[in-house]
Amino acid sequence: MTQDLMPNTAQMASPSYRMAAVDQDFVLSDSMRGVRFLMEYAKAEEALRAWGVRSTIVVFGSARIREDQPWYQTARAFGRLASERGGALRGNVGEPRDNVIATGGGPGIMEAANRGATDIGAPSVGFNVTLPHEQAPNAYSTPELTFLFHYFAMRKMHLAMRANALVVFPGGFGTFDELFEILTLRQTNKAPAVPIVLVDKAYWTSVIGFEALLEHGMIARADLDLIGFAEDAEGIWAELLSRGLRPHENIE
């Protein structure tokens, strides 16, 4: 058999012969981490732009809150109210949507806020992330705006980059993480002057010693002005407005 008639099975079976874009071993290799990071940014960005999501109101809180608890009902009521009044329902061709509810995509408070938007037919965003015990997306974020990230850093970036406001319900480490991420960006002027509202002042002042931080010289008095408090959906909305949130009239 001549050389040019010999089968090239070995060459075609070699990993090096796979096209780079469909070679999972290559795409998931250590050297391609930067490319994967870019892909996570671009995929969500493309979908958000396609839906005209110009700005969001980020809602965070415990995934452990159940539907029969008051905090859940407050988050649901706020998701509905903010979507009605904030501009999420704007949907004519070429018109952006503002103050769209965006959450971490999971259960509890996040589900409640997404559910409130769904109650009135407004879109909402779910930024999920892979966890040791896999988090499933809740049933209320808009399917086309429900994302799954591997990198916490890129998820955080998408949560922050369109945020017009942050509303934080009682929660644990994950909730604290998001709260202090945005607070630090505000404190260091790395983010616009977005209002930050904590729901249930009694809870927050019992679990975080804000005044103690001030007394020990760890923060300035002005840093405490970055935070507002509210107790119910109307109170959250009023506090956001008083702190500079710009609502947009919905256009039929």
Side-chain angles (χ1 to χ4, degrees):
M1 184 179 290
T2 62
Q3 180 69 31
D4 53 74
L5 293 179
M6 292 179 63
N8 55 2
T9 304
Q11 287 77 15
M12 295 184 69
S14 171
S16 64
Y17 189 72
R18 300 172 195 157
M19 288 190 295
V22 296
D23 183 348
Q24 287 293 292
D25 292 334
F26 172 68
V27 172
L28 297 177
S29 67
D30 183 71
S31 64
M32 288 295 102
R33 182 174 286 113
V35 173
R36 295 196 300 276
F37 203 69
L38 173 60
M39 289 171 66
E40 287 205 342
Y41 168 79
K43 183 176 181 180
E45 181 71 10
E46 184 174 296
L48 290 162
R49 289 190 181 191
W51 273 73
V53 179
R54 179 168 60 183
S55 63
T56 61
I57 295 177
V58 174
V59 180
F60 248 83
S62 177
R64 303 181 184 190
I65 301 298
R66 301 184 306 273
E67 183 176 352
D68 60 355
Q69 294 181 292
W71 289 326
Y72 184 104
Q73 296 305 323
T74 299
R76 182 176 179 180
F78 176 73
R80 180 170 58 250
L81 182 156
S83 297
E84 286 176 333
R85 302 180 188 177
L89 287 172
R90 297 175 75 177
N92 294 336
V93 175
E95 291 175 353
R97 300 177 191 269
D98 284 299
N99 301 315
V100 176
I101 293 294
T103 77
I109 292 297
M110 296 171 284
E111 173 187 298
N114 288 129
R115 187 174 182 179
T118 299
D119 286 340
I120 62 162
S124 67
V125 185
F127 292 115
N128 296 265
V129 67
T130 55
L131 297 171
H133 303 287
E134 291 299 325
Q135 171 186 300
N138 69 63
Y140 300 101
S141 58
T142 301
E144 295 85 356
L145 297 175
T146 300
F147 307 105
L148 180 62
F149 293 89
H150 173 73
Y151 296 107
F152 264 106
M154 184 49 66
R155 182 205 197 202
K156 287 173 176 288
M157 182 172 175
H158 271 295
L159 279 164
M161 64 185 292
R162 283 180 168 82
N164 264 358
L166 175 66
V167 177
V168 191
F169 283 77
F173 289 168
T175 303
F176 285 22
D177 182 38
E178 291 302 327
L179 168 60
F180 283 104
E181 177 84 14
I182 301 298
L183 274 176
T184 302
L185 290 173
R186 286 285 297 106
Q187 183 192 48
T188 57
N189 292 318
K190 292 292 186 179
V194 298
I196 300 168
V197 175
L198 308 187
V199 180
D200 193 337
K201 186 174 183 178
Y203 173 85
W204 286 108
T205 54
S206 70
V207 298
I208 300 176
F210 293 111
E211 290 295 333
L213 288 170
L214 182 62
E215 290 170 9
H216 286 286
M218 302 302 169
I219 60 174
R221 171 62 67 181
D223 293 333
L224 292 181
D225 296 334
L226 298 174
I227 303 168
F229 296 95
E231 305 300 321
D232 56 28
E234 287 287 353
I236 298 168
W237 186 250
E239 185 70 13
L240 291 176
L241 294 181
S242 72
R243 289 177 169 271
L245 180 73
R246 291 190 302 157
H248 297 263
E249 294 293 333
N250 290 327
I251 298 177
E252 300 297 333

Short mmCIF file of all heavy atoms in Angstrom, two decimals, residues 33-70:
data_model
loop_
_atom_site.label_atom_id
_atom_site.label_comp_id
_atom_site.label_asym_id
_atom_site.label_seq_id
_atom_site.Cartn_x
_atom_site.Cartn_y
_atom_site.Cartn_z
N ARG A 33 -8.48 29.78 30.97
CA ARG A 33 -9.32 30.38 32.00
C ARG A 33 -9.76 31.79 31.63
O ARG A 33 -10.91 32.18 31.83
CB ARG A 33 -8.59 30.38 33.35
CG ARG A 33 -9.44 30.96 34.47
CD ARG A 33 -8.77 30.82 35.83
NE ARG A 33 -8.81 29.45 36.30
CZ ARG A 33 -7.73 28.67 36.43
NH1 ARG A 33 -6.53 29.14 36.12
NH2 ARG A 33 -7.84 27.44 36.88
N GLY A 34 -8.86 32.57 31.09
CA GLY A 34 -9.21 33.93 30.69
C GLY A 34 -10.27 33.96 29.60
O GLY A 34 -11.16 34.81 29.60
N VAL A 35 -10.18 33.02 28.68
CA VAL A 35 -11.18 32.94 27.60
C VAL A 35 -12.53 32.55 28.17
O VAL A 35 -13.57 33.10 27.79
CB VAL A 35 -10.72 31.92 26.54
CG1 VAL A 35 -11.82 31.70 25.51
CG2 VAL A 35 -9.44 32.38 25.87
N ARG A 36 -12.56 31.60 29.11
CA ARG A 36 -13.82 31.21 29.74
C ARG A 36 -14.42 32.37 30.51
O ARG A 36 -15.64 32.57 30.53
CB ARG A 36 -13.61 30.00 30.65
CG ARG A 36 -13.18 28.73 29.92
CD ARG A 36 -13.35 27.50 30.79
NE ARG A 36 -12.58 27.53 32.01
CZ ARG A 36 -11.29 27.19 32.12
NH1 ARG A 36 -10.62 26.80 31.03
NH2 ARG A 36 -10.67 27.22 33.28
N PHE A 37 -13.58 33.15 31.15
CA PHE A 37 -14.04 34.33 31.87
C PHE A 37 -14.72 35.30 30.91
O PHE A 37 -15.81 35.83 31.18
CB PHE A 37 -12.84 34.99 32.56
CG PHE A 37 -13.19 35.86 33.73
CD1 PHE A 37 -13.68 35.30 34.89
CD2 PHE A 37 -13.00 37.23 33.67
CE1 PHE A 37 -13.99 36.10 35.99
CE2 PHE A 37 -13.31 38.03 34.74
CZ PHE A 37 -13.80 37.47 35.92
N LEU A 38 -14.09 35.54 29.77
CA LEU A 38 -14.65 36.41 28.75
C LEU A 38 -15.98 35.86 28.22
O LEU A 38 -16.94 36.61 28.02
CB LEU A 38 -13.67 36.57 27.60
CG LEU A 38 -14.16 37.33 26.36
CD1 LEU A 38 -14.58 38.75 26.72
CD2 LEU A 38 -13.08 37.35 25.28
N MET A 39 -16.04 34.55 28.02
CA MET A 39 -17.26 33.94 27.52
C MET A 39 -18.43 34.12 28.50
O MET A 39 -19.57 34.38 28.09
CB MET A 39 -17.03 32.45 27.24
CG MET A 39 -16.12 32.18 26.04
SD MET A 39 -15.66 30.43 25.90
CE MET A 39 -17.25 29.69 25.56
N GLU A 40 -18.14 34.00 29.79
CA GLU A 40 -19.20 34.19 30.79
C GLU A 40 -19.69 35.63 30.78
O GLU A 40 -20.88 35.89 31.00
CB GLU A 40 -18.71 33.79 32.18
CG GLU A 40 -18.58 32.30 32.36
CD GLU A 40 -18.68 31.85 33.81
OE1 GLU A 40 -18.51 32.69 34.72
OE2 GLU A 40 -18.94 30.65 34.02
N TYR A 41 -18.79 36.56 30.57
CA TYR A 41 -19.22 37.95 30.44
C TYR A 41 -20.08 38.15 29.20
O TYR A 41 -21.17 38.70 29.25
CB TYR A 41 -18.01 38.90 30.37
CG TYR A 41 -18.41 40.30 29.96
CD1 TYR A 41 -18.97 41.17 30.88
CD2 TYR A 41 -18.26 40.72 28.64
CE1 TYR A 41 -19.37 42.44 30.51
CE2 TYR A 41 -18.66 41.99 28.26
CZ TYR A 41 -19.21 42.84 29.19
OH TYR A 41 -19.63 44.09 28.80
N ALA A 42 -19.60 37.67 28.07
CA ALA A 42 -20.24 37.96 26.79
C ALA A 42 -21.60 37.30 26.64
O ALA A 42 -22.53 37.90 26.09
CB ALA A 42 -19.32 37.53 25.64
N LYS A 43 -21.74 36.08 27.12
CA LYS A 43 -23.02 35.38 26.94
C LYS A 43 -24.15 36.10 27.66
O LYS A 43 -25.22 36.35 27.08
CB LYS A 43 -22.92 33.94 27.44
CG LYS A 43 -24.19 33.15 27.20
CD LYS A 43 -24.05 31.70 27.60
CE LYS A 43 -25.35 30.95 27.32
NZ LYS A 43 -25.26 29.52 27.70
N ALA A 44 -23.93 36.46 28.92
CA ALA A 44 -24.96 37.17 29.67
C ALA A 44 -25.18 38.57 29.10
O ALA A 44 -26.33 39.04 28.99
CB ALA A 44 -24.58 37.25 31.15
N GLU A 45 -24.11 39.24 28.73
CA GLU A 45 -24.21 40.59 28.18
C GLU A 45 -25.07 40.61 26.92
O GLU A 45 -25.92 41.48 26.73
CB GLU A 45 -22.82 41.14 27.88
CG GLU A 45 -22.79 42.56 27.33
CD GLU A 45 -23.16 43.60 28.37
OE1 GLU A 45 -23.25 43.27 29.56
OE2 GLU A 45 -23.35 44.76 27.97
N GLU A 46 -24.88 39.63 26.06
CA GLU A 46 -25.64 39.58 24.81
C GLU A 46 -27.13 39.40 25.09
O GLU A 46 -27.97 40.06 24.47
CB GLU A 46 -25.12 38.42 23.96
CG GLU A 46 -25.77 38.32 22.59
CD GLU A 46 -25.12 37.24 21.74
OE1 GLU A 46 -23.92 37.40 21.42
OE2 GLU A 46 -25.81 36.26 21.41
N ALA A 47 -27.47 38.53 26.02
CA ALA A 47 -28.88 38.29 26.33
C ALA A 47 -29.52 39.51 26.99
O ALA A 47 -30.66 39.88 26.66
CB ALA A 47 -29.01 37.07 27.24
N LEU A 48 -28.81 40.15 27.90
CA LEU A 48 -29.35 41.33 28.58
C LEU A 48 -29.59 42.46 27.58
O LEU A 48 -30.62 43.16 27.65
CB LEU A 48 -28.39 41.77 29.68
CG LEU A 48 -28.32 40.83 30.89
CD1 LEU A 48 -27.07 41.12 31.71
CD2 LEU A 48 -29.56 40.98 31.76
N ARG A 49 -28.69 42.64 26.66
CA ARG A 49 -28.87 43.68 25.65
C ARG A 49 -30.03 43.35 24.73
O ARG A 49 -30.80 44.24 24.33
CB ARG A 49 -27.59 43.85 24.84
CG ARG A 49 -26.46 44.50 25.62
CD ARG A 49 -25.29 44.86 24.73
NE ARG A 49 -24.21 45.47 25.48
CZ ARG A 49 -23.17 46.08 24.94
NH1 ARG A 49 -23.07 46.15 23.61
NH2 ARG A 49 -22.23 46.61 25.69
N ALA A 50 -30.19 42.08 24.39
CA ALA A 50 -31.28 41.68 23.51
C ALA A 50 -32.63 41.99 24.15
O ALA A 50 -33.60 42.31 23.45
CB ALA A 50 -31.18 40.19 23.20
N TRP A 51 -32.71 41.92 25.46
CA TRP A 51 -33.95 42.22 26.18
C TRP A 51 -34.05 43.69 26.56
O TRP A 51 -35.01 44.10 27.20
CB TRP A 51 -34.05 41.35 27.42
CG TRP A 51 -34.68 40.02 27.12
CD1 TRP A 51 -34.13 38.96 26.45
CD2 TRP A 51 -36.02 39.62 27.45
NE1 TRP A 51 -35.02 37.94 26.35
CE2 TRP A 51 -36.19 38.30 26.96
CE3 TRP A 51 -37.07 40.22 28.11
CZ2 TRP A 51 -37.37 37.59 27.11
CZ3 TRP A 51 -38.25 39.52 28.27
CH2 TRP A 51 -38.40 38.23 27.77
N GLY A 52 -33.05 44.47 26.21
CA GLY A 52 -33.09 45.90 26.50
C GLY A 52 -32.92 46.24 27.97
O GLY A 52 -33.38 47.30 28.42
N VAL A 53 -32.27 45.37 28.73
CA VAL A 53 -32.09 45.62 30.16
C VAL A 53 -30.97 46.63 30.35
O VAL A 53 -29.79 46.30 30.28
CB VAL A 53 -31.78 44.31 30.92
CG1 VAL A 53 -31.57 44.62 32.41
CG2 VAL A 53 -32.90 43.31 30.73
N ARG A 54 -31.36 47.87 30.59
CA ARG A 54 -30.38 48.95 30.76
C ARG A 54 -29.92 49.07 32.20
O ARG A 54 -28.76 49.37 32.48
CB ARG A 54 -30.96 50.27 30.29
CG ARG A 54 -30.02 51.45 30.46
CD ARG A 54 -30.51 52.68 29.72
NE ARG A 54 -31.82 53.15 30.18
CZ ARG A 54 -32.46 54.19 29.64
NH1 ARG A 54 -31.92 54.83 28.60
NH2 ARG A 54 -33.63 54.56 30.10
N SER A 55 -30.84 48.86 33.13
CA SER A 55 -30.49 48.96 34.55
C SER A 55 -31.32 47.98 35.36
O SER A 55 -32.37 47.51 34.91
CB SER A 55 -30.71 50.40 35.06
OG SER A 55 -32.08 50.76 34.97
N THR A 56 -30.83 47.68 36.55
CA THR A 56 -31.48 46.70 37.41
C THR A 56 -31.60 47.22 38.84
O THR A 56 -30.91 48.16 39.24
CB THR A 56 -30.70 45.38 37.45
OG1 THR A 56 -29.39 45.64 37.99
CG2 THR A 56 -30.58 44.76 36.06
N ILE A 57 -32.48 46.59 39.59
CA ILE A 57 -32.48 46.70 41.04
C ILE A 57 -32.13 45.32 41.56
O ILE A 57 -32.85 44.35 41.33
CB ILE A 57 -33.85 47.14 41.60
CG1 ILE A 57 -34.16 48.56 41.14
CG2 ILE A 57 -33.86 47.05 43.13
CD1 ILE A 57 -35.54 49.07 41.59
N VAL A 58 -30.99 45.21 42.20
CA VAL A 58 -30.51 43.92 42.70
C VAL A 58 -31.14 43.65 44.06
O VAL A 58 -31.08 44.50 44.96
CB VAL A 58 -28.98 43.91 42.79
CG1 VAL A 58 -28.49 42.62 43.44
CG2 VAL A 58 -28.37 44.08 41.41
N VAL A 59 -31.74 42.48 44.19
CA VAL A 59 -32.36 42.07 45.46
C VAL A 59 -31.66 40.82 45.95
O VAL A 59 -31.58 39.82 45.22
CB VAL A 59 -33.87 41.80 45.29
CG1 VAL A 59 -34.48 41.38 46.63
CG2 VAL A 59 -34.58 43.04 44.74
N PHE A 60 -31.16 40.89 47.17
CA PHE A 60 -30.49 39.74 47.76
C PHE A 60 -31.04 39.46 49.14
O PHE A 60 -31.62 40.33 49.79
CB PHE A 60 -28.98 39.97 47.84
CG PHE A 60 -28.21 39.09 46.91
CD1 PHE A 60 -28.05 39.43 45.58
CD2 PHE A 60 -27.65 37.90 47.35
CE1 PHE A 60 -27.35 38.62 44.71
CE2 PHE A 60 -26.95 37.07 46.49
CZ PHE A 60 -26.80 37.42 45.17
N GLY A 61 -30.87 38.22 49.58
CA GLY A 61 -31.31 37.78 50.89
C GLY A 61 -31.20 36.28 50.99
O GLY A 61 -30.79 35.61 50.04
N SER A 62 -31.56 35.74 52.11
CA SER A 62 -31.35 34.33 52.38
C SER A 62 -32.12 33.42 51.44
O SER A 62 -33.29 33.66 51.13
CB SER A 62 -31.76 34.01 53.82
OG SER A 62 -31.63 32.62 54.07
N ALA A 63 -31.44 32.34 51.01
CA ALA A 63 -32.09 31.30 50.23
C ALA A 63 -32.93 30.39 51.12
O ALA A 63 -33.68 29.54 50.62
CB ALA A 63 -31.04 30.46 49.50
N ARG A 64 -32.85 30.57 52.42
CA ARG A 64 -33.52 29.68 53.37
C ARG A 64 -34.90 30.19 53.80
O ARG A 64 -35.60 29.52 54.56
CB ARG A 64 -32.63 29.47 54.60
CG ARG A 64 -31.25 28.91 54.24
CD ARG A 64 -30.39 28.68 55.46
NE ARG A 64 -29.05 28.24 55.07
CZ ARG A 64 -28.14 27.77 55.91
NH1 ARG A 64 -28.43 27.69 57.20
NH2 ARG A 64 -26.96 27.38 55.48
N ILE A 65 -35.24 31.38 53.36
CA ILE A 65 -36.54 31.94 53.74
C ILE A 65 -37.65 31.22 53.00
O ILE A 65 -37.61 31.03 51.79
CB ILE A 65 -36.59 33.45 53.42
CG1 ILE A 65 -35.47 34.19 54.18
CG2 ILE A 65 -37.95 34.03 53.75
CD1 ILE A 65 -35.58 34.09 55.67
N ARG A 66 -38.68 30.82 53.73
CA ARG A 66 -39.80 30.08 53.14
C ARG A 66 -40.94 31.01 52.75
O ARG A 66 -41.04 32.14 53.23
CB ARG A 66 -40.31 29.03 54.13
CG ARG A 66 -39.27 28.00 54.56
CD ARG A 66 -39.90 26.95 55.45
NE ARG A 66 -40.59 27.54 56.59
CZ ARG A 66 -40.00 27.85 57.74
NH1 ARG A 66 -38.71 27.65 57.90
NH2 ARG A 66 -40.72 28.38 58.72
N GLU A 67 -41.81 30.50 51.90
CA GLU A 67 -42.91 31.31 51.37
C GLU A 67 -43.85 31.81 52.46
O GLU A 67 -44.47 32.87 52.31
CB GLU A 67 -43.70 30.48 50.35
CG GLU A 67 -44.83 31.24 49.67
CD GLU A 67 -45.53 30.43 48.61
OE1 GLU A 67 -45.06 29.32 48.29
OE2 GLU A 67 -46.56 30.90 48.10
N ASP A 68 -43.97 31.09 53.56
CA ASP A 68 -44.91 31.49 54.61
C ASP A 68 -44.31 32.50 55.58
O ASP A 68 -44.95 32.86 56.57
CB ASP A 68 -45.43 30.26 55.37
CG ASP A 68 -44.30 29.48 56.05
OD1 ASP A 68 -43.12 29.82 55.86
OD2 ASP A 68 -44.62 28.51 56.77
N GLN A 69 -43.10 32.97 55.33
CA GLN A 69 -42.47 33.93 56.21
C GLN A 69 -42.65 35.36 55.70
O GLN A 69 -42.67 35.60 54.49
CB GLN A 69 -40.99 33.60 56.38
CG GLN A 69 -40.76 32.26 57.09
CD GLN A 69 -39.29 31.95 57.27
OE1 GLN A 69 -38.58 31.69 56.30
NE2 GLN A 69 -38.82 31.94 58.51
N PRO A 70 -42.78 36.32 56.61
CA PRO A 70 -43.05 37.70 56.20
C PRO A 70 -42.02 38.29 55.24
O PRO A 70 -42.37 39.04 54.33
CB PRO A 70 -43.07 38.46 57.54
CG PRO A 70 -43.45 37.43 58.54
CD PRO A 70 -42.81 36.15 58.08
#
